[in-house]
Amino acid sequence: MGSLVGVGLYLSIWTGFDRVLTSNALAKRLTALYVFTPQLACMLVVIFLLTMAGIWAASRVEKALGKKDPSIVVIDEVAGQMIALLSGPFWLHTWWSVISAFLLFRLFDIWKPYPIRRLEHLESGLGIMADDVLAGAYALIVNSVLMSSYLLLFPPTR
């Protein structure tokens, strides 16, 4: 469920930034680059702050419950999913790019290829967050390659 929250949060924030930046760029007759660059920077800041808050919150919950990586902590899934979604094309998040980012993140989060599983052993909230952040990064890389390949094979028509 945390991954679905991550998708909703990401798309809401991305769309909000897009509306503000696009209207500003159109008024000043700027190119899409002037929209994408600050939009990506804002998303990276949001994900960073969410990750830092997640480390703090997950550490507190783990200590309060006395249980390693409690299942009620889902902020790690939210952050990881948001990282995976950074691979979406900046001009439009199509349904297939969102679905593939979601599925790839879930795959890497469950499969835990090297060194994701080792990150779980880090102390407290850092270990809880780190494995999902890296799973998100793996999904980001694979989804970016998939989408770039698709766009090379099937360029958008104007």
Side-chain angles (χ1 to χ4, degrees):
M1 290 310 286
S3 294
L4 289 175
V5 171
V7 170
L9 183 62
Y10 181 91
L11 292 176
S12 297
I13 294 170
W14 184 270
T15 303
F17 284 142
D18 188 60
R19 285 191 181 129
V20 169
L21 294 169
T22 301
S23 64
N24 189 33
L26 288 174
K28 295 180 180 178
R29 298 179 192 259
L30 302 173
T31 65
L33 184 62
Y34 290 95
V35 174
F36 174 65
T37 304
Q39 190 174 23
L40 179 60
C42 290
M43 288 307 302
L44 289 170
V45 168
V46 167
I47 292 168
F48 174 76
L49 293 174
L50 184 69
T51 301
M52 294 298 106
I55 292 170
W56 174 81
S59 296
R60 292 187 53 112
V61 171
E62 187 177 74
K63 186 176 179 180
L65 296 179
K67 182 179 177 189
K68 180 103 173 108
D69 199 356
S71 60
I72 63 169
V73 175
V74 295
I75 195 167
D76 54 335
E77 304 283 331
V78 174
Q81 186 62 67
M82 289 178 74
I83 291 168
L85 286 164
L86 288 171
S87 60
F90 66 86
W91 63 90
L92 175 67
H93 276 285
T94 60
W95 62 270
W96 58 269
S97 70
V98 173
I99 290 172
S100 62
F102 177 82
L103 293 175
L104 285 166
F105 172 69
R106 295 305 310 139
L107 171 75
F108 286 118
D109 189 33
I110 293 166
W111 176 30
K112 298 193 186 304
Y114 183 82
I116 295 174
R117 189 167 306 282
R118 296 184 116 195
L119 294 177
E120 289 180 315
H121 301 295
L122 293 173
E123 187 177 327
S124 200
L126 183 59
I128 293 171
M129 292 297 293
D131 67 314
D132 288 281
V133 166
L134 188 55
Y138 279 15
L140 167 66
I141 293 165
V142 173
N143 204 38
S144 295
V145 169
L146 288 174
M147 286 193 311
S148 297
S149 301
Y150 179 84
L151 290 173
L152 287 173
L153 293 171
F154 307 102
T157 57
R158 292 184 185 233

